[in-house]
Amino acid sequence: MAAARGFTTPPSFGVRLLRADVEILSWQNGLILDVRRKKRRLLAVKCCCFEIRGVYGSGKNVEECKDRILDPNKRPNYRRRAPVMPFASPPTRYVPKQEKFSSRCTPRHSGPQSRDSPPKRDTGIANEKDWGISLLNDSVNESGTNEDGTTWYRESGEDLGDNGYRCRWTRMGGQSVGGTSEWKETWWEKSDWTGYKELGVEKSGKNAEGDSWWETWREVLHQDEWSNLARIERSAQKQAKSGTENAGWYENWWEKYDAKGWTEKGAHKYGRLNEQSWWEKWGEHYDGRGSILKWTDKWAETELGTKWGDKWEEKFFAGIGSRQGETWHVSPSGERWSRTWGEEHFGNGKVHKYGKSTTGESWDIVVDEETYYEAEPHYGWADVVGDSSQLLSIQPRERPPGVFPNLEFGSSQLPPGDLPSLENDETAG
């Protein structure tokens, strides 16, 4: 079968270039997905028989934190006119080692190099090429000691299960003399006869200063149980704690795409720096037919009782929609100030703007104003397919004649759930 974008596809999965509009055709014996990338080369995915389916450290006091602002450029800022309150977003205390993830596997019988740098904040979900996952083709179980006394180990294997389940994995790690510094990494790829494919990484570690961290990334290809469309879902979770002060942070990111343009993205983040804590949540939803929903909610507080925050939401379809938001502040004595605002866009060049605050200001006007909103994600289905070559090239086990997959679909979303506490976190593994 032909190969595309530099990867080899399994016999049941072909990739070819087409010039066609986005079109989904369900056939009795398979599924064809024609994907159009605007103003770029066009990619189509054909599938048959369900085969597609660092630790930040710190300013020296709370006042320094208050002067820092949560950078809105870490994700697309869809509304810039609303006031933004200051949020603590302290820079890293030191620059992590700049390592190239492409050189993950060292030659046999030589120890993997120590990777004792925590993840960076606000970096979202990395593409698979940035992780450089390179699984070993044979079973390995080896360990050793380096010249400086640090120890290391490397293992790899393959697990098989029902319904054609297959998991290839590689695990490696090491620690310093005395165990004050240690690290661990696990990579895997999974598949089964339903066409499910998964690629993932988990990393954890700690250093001599007591800083600890954990992060995981996974990318999934499967068939949606309701629409029968191919779907790709990506997620990442990261957290880190300081070993020298009361500081830490956590992030949970997720992205979902289907072959007709339906897209969902979001993140939950929170952190703490000594006496101050902050939270942020945001989400985006595109239905693939021009309807969008975007929202953000972020807030912070200090142990002295000061609280402040900002939130907004927008909904649009075919130039008609609304925006609304609130900025608020609570003093240690409990005095509250807030400003609420809203916009109604009628699609004819008229915009109704209104708002008020607790200090008595208010406005209610209709103005002539061009409505701007983004009806399509800046990164969509064609983009994620183009960046998922390693996921698509996972080789499933060959299905014996007469054996059919047991289609027991379940949610592959990592539910945000209760965010882990930063008080008693221990590094994973």
Side-chain angles (χ1 to χ4, degrees), residues 54-56 119-121 238-240 247-251 270-271 422:
V55 176
Y56 61 80
K120 296 181 180 180
R121 282 185 53 207
K238 314 171 192 179
Q239 69 179 50
W249 56 267
Y250 170 84
E251 297 178 357
Y270 74 91
L422 290 172

Side-chain angles (χ1 to χ4, degrees), residues 63-103:
E63 293 302 321
E64 281 186 340
C65 286
K66 292 181 179 179
D67 293 334
R68 299 189 178 106
I69 297 178
L70 192 66
D71 187 353
N73 295 320
K74 296 300 182 181
R75 65 171 194 86
N77 187 13
Y78 299 104
R79 182 185 60 77
R80 299 183 180 277
R81 289 173 301 210
V84 178
M85 296 299 288
F87 277 75
S89 184
T92 53
R93 179 158 47 91
Y94 57 88
V95 178
K97 298 177 182 178
Q98 300 300 316
E99 299 174 328
K100 292 186 178 297
F101 289 100
S102 58
S103 58

Side-chain angles (χ1 to χ4, degrees), residues 101-176:
F101 289 100
S102 58
S103 58
R104 280 312 196 192
C105 272
T106 54
R108 292 285 303 274
H109 307 301
S110 65
Q113 300 301 310
S114 173
R115 289 185 277 275
D116 58 356
S117 298
K120 296 181 180 180
R121 282 185 53 207
D122 294 320
T123 49
I125 304 174
N127 290 329
E128 59 181 35
K129 61 182 175 60
D130 297 322
W131 288 95
I133 300 174
S134 180
L135 297 169
L136 302 177
N137 292 323
D138 52 355
S139 180
V140 170
N141 188 347
E142 55 189 12
S143 60
T145 303
N146 298 318
E147 293 182 358
D148 59 0
T150 59
T151 59
W152 60 269
Y153 67 89
R154 178 166 47 214
E155 306 168 340
S156 67
E158 180 180 85
D159 300 329
L160 303 178
D162 297 335
N163 206 29
Y165 172 82
R166 181 191 189 194
C167 175
R168 296 176 58 223
W169 54 270
T170 296
R171 182 184 303 120
M172 63 178 66
Q175 64 178 20
S176 63

Side-chain angles (χ1 to χ4, degrees), residues 185-199:
E185 293 185 10
T186 303
W187 314 333
W188 67 85
E189 65 175 35
K190 301 177 182 179
S191 62
D192 64 21
W193 287 335
T194 67
Y196 179 90
K197 297 182 180 183
E198 178 181 323
L199 198 64

